[in-house]
Amino acid sequence: MKTLRKILCAEDDADIRAILQFSLVTVGNYTLCMCRDGADALKRATAFEPDLILLDAMMPNLTGPEAMRALREIPKLHCTPIVLMSARALPNEIEEVLEYGATGVILKPFDPMILPEYLKIYWGYAQRNCGC
Amino acid sequence: VAADLELERRLTQLRARFVVGLDGRRAELRTAWSICTASRACADSQERATLSSALHRLAGAAGAYSFNMLSKRAHALEKLVRSNSCELSTLNMEFTQLIECLSALILSNKVTLPSHCYYRGGVQSRLRNPSSKEKNMELIATPDASDVMLIRLNEAHLDAGNVKEFREIIGPLLDQHARVVFDMSQLRFVDSSGLGSLISCLRQTQERRGDFKLCAMSQPVCALFELMRMHRVFSIHETCEEAKRAFS
């Protein structure tokens, strides 16, 4: 079975990018492509070919859900699991992004020591349920 | 242990760097606030969007670095600014409190880590930290004849504010018991870090061919688990008895 190695992540706040880098590279030992917003993620995703994409829900230029819809249009990334990070915990909003095709939602604030575990679970879930 | 200490050290460095950067965030907020309140009681949507975006980023970043009070204050004010239905005097009060909270952190410029917790074993143990005067988390652990440990968490919340304490208390218990039923009847709210800690418990028990079964979930927690698809990860039961029977 393929393992989770490459993560593409988009987050607009520099401090959160720093803690995400710590969490995903230092704790999780993943190869990371860090993007500044949704548009940047869209630009770099095809060349990087991530195993999983992690997007902040609220970003300038392209929001997380907008970027997710655009990324889903790229044939290479059609089946790549996409996880959104959101500070909003209202069930209907979470349900909405899941309906847009997100594999899962990480509620902010996240624990940087645990985030890699979460992504592994979502990755496993996507692998079991992917029809590609 | 050395690797964990190194991670902790690096995290502490990152937290310290975040605190140093708070000065800039405070200045950004003050500017956005002045412009917003100057435009007829925050009525201009563009100015409100700029202010709420700064608050949103602060709330997210402070939370990720475990400055929970700051995160909650920023998040609360962000919601008020977004709703645009709040009196300016209320907004003013909330903004002043947020700035005070920020300023206190900038002044102290210290990063304090939670104290270590103490626990003791026994037939039925109440696990808490006796050295602190503050109210601490309480876990009640009850083993039964079939080698299943029933653990009840006497807290309404399992979130970023107490998850570290939870992990410190439950970790040693799971080292000794791989077959665990976790009674969630007292819990009313679990956030992502709380969910993460429960996943760690599950992994810890499964690594030893056991399981970490959940039971007696309240409706809001159950709804969150279903939305996050965690009900497919955990074995979840309506009652503790049912969860215990599932081990046999």
Side-chain angles (χ1 to χ4, degrees):
Chain A
M1 186 179 158
K2 207 180 159 196
T3 53
L4 173 58
R5 283 173 48 216
K6 292 165 74 179
I7 295 178
L8 180 130
C9 176
E11 165 62 56
D12 61 314
D13 187 274
D15 281 323
I16 303 182
R17 283 202 297 272
I19 196 108
L20 279 168
Q21 177 134 348
F22 166 79
S23 173
L24 300 177
V25 178
T26 312
V27 180
N29 210 20
Y30 298 122
T31 304
L32 178 67
C33 176
M34 183 59 87
C35 309
R36 288 171 173 273
D37 54 38
D40 192 21
L42 204 53
K43 228 186 290 171
R44 297 162 71 175
T46 313
F48 183 65
E49 292 189 46
D51 297 324
L52 183 142
I53 297 169
L54 180 62
L55 301 171
D56 182 26
M58 278 187 69
M59 293 183 287
N61 298 328
L62 272 184
T63 66
E66 285 167 351
M68 182 171 70
R69 269 173 285 178
L71 287 162
R72 282 274 175 259
E73 297 295 314
I74 301 172
K76 249 185 184 177
L77 304 172
H78 188 66
C79 283
T80 307
I82 300 179
V83 177
L84 272 102
M85 296 180 285
S86 172
R88 297 182 179 191
L90 294 178
N92 59 334
E93 287 169 330
I94 295 174
E95 208 162 12
E96 197 181 346
V97 291
L98 290 175
E99 274 172 15
Y100 282 151
T103 307
V105 179
I106 303 276
L107 296 184
K108 281 184 176 178
F110 57 84
D111 181 337
M113 307 299 271
I114 296 296
L115 182 64
E117 292 283 326
Y118 252 100
L119 298 183
K120 232 182 261 175
I121 293 207
Y122 281 130
W123 163 256
Y125 175 80
Q127 292 301 294
R128 285 193 298 277
N129 293 281
C130 180
C132 302
Chain B
V1 174
D4 284 351
L5 283 174
E6 175 58 16
L7 285 179
E8 199 68 53
R9 189 186 66 76
R10 292 181 72 167
L11 192 53
T12 305
Q13 280 177 345
L14 279 172
R15 280 163 59 86
R17 204 175 75 172
F18 171 73
V19 173
V20 169
L22 285 178
D23 213 8
R25 286 189 188 260
R26 183 175 57 178
E28 181 193 4
L29 279 174
R30 277 180 168 153
T31 308
W33 175 258
S34 308
I35 296 170
C36 188
T37 48
S39 64
R40 283 178 297 171
C42 248
D44 188 310
S45 63
Q46 182 58 45
E47 309 306 349
R48 266 192 296 120
T50 307
L51 178 60
S52 61
S53 167
L55 289 165
H56 180 80
R57 283 184 284 109
L58 174 62
Y65 287 90
S66 301
F67 292 105
N68 300 319
M69 179 56 77
L70 179 61
S71 175
K72 278 179 188 163
R73 283 207 185 287
H75 185 58
L77 184 55
E78 181 203 348
K79 270 166 67 177
L80 290 177
V81 172
R82 265 188 213 288
S83 72
N84 197 27
S85 58
C86 190
E87 291 284 326
L88 188 59
S89 58
T90 312
L91 281 177
N92 238 323
M93 195 174 70
E94 289 286 333
F95 182 74
T96 307
Q97 285 178 351
L98 175 69
I99 292 295
E100 279 171 6
C101 188
L102 261 171
S103 302
L105 262 177
I106 292 164
L107 269 179
S108 69
N109 202 12
K110 283 180 188 166
V111 180
T112 43
L113 295 170
S115 60
H116 283 278
C117 294
Y118 172 85
Y119 84 99
R120 61 189 162 82
V123 174
Q124 185 183 76
S125 312
R126 284 171 182 270
L127 312 170
R128 61 200 308 175
N129 182 356
S131 62
S132 170
K133 287 177 187 165
E134 291 174 21
K135 183 189 176 296
N136 279 286
M137 178 178 282
E138 184 176 85
L139 280 181
I140 298 179
T142 316
D144 77 353
S146 57
D147 195 29
V148 174
M149 173 70 86
L150 175 66
I151 298 177
R152 190 174 80 217
L153 174 61
N154 278 349
E155 293 285 327
H157 289 225
L158 181 59
D159 56 20
N162 63 4
V163 73
K164 183 156 186 174
E165 190 175 12
F166 173 71
R167 288 211 298 262
E168 285 173 345
I169 298 175
I170 204 166
L173 268 182
L174 301 186
D175 285 341
Q176 297 162 31
H177 302 274
R179 288 150 57 92
V180 174
V181 170
F182 187 62
D183 178 353
M184 300 175 76
S185 54
Q186 307 300 307
L187 273 174
R188 292 291 174 272
F189 176 77
V190 179
D191 77 355
S192 65
S193 54
L195 272 176
S197 68
L198 295 176
I199 291 165
S200 292
C201 293
L202 177 67
R203 290 175 69 89
Q204 197 174 338
T205 51
Q206 285 183 341
E207 274 167 13
R208 299 173 56 222
R209 295 175 183 274
D211 199 4
F212 189 80
K213 297 185 191 296
L214 308 179
C215 69
M217 247 180 218
S218 65
Q219 186 54 40
V221 175
C222 189
L224 179 74
F225 265 68
E226 286 184 7
L227 281 169
M228 304 289 280
R229 297 174 177 174
M230 286 297 147
H231 61 298
R232 299 181 187 190
V233 175
F234 287 95
S235 163
I236 300 173
H237 303 267
E238 287 209 359
T239 65
C240 297
E241 288 312 312
E242 190 187 303
K244 279 185 190 174
R245 277 199 300 275
F247 271 112
S248 53

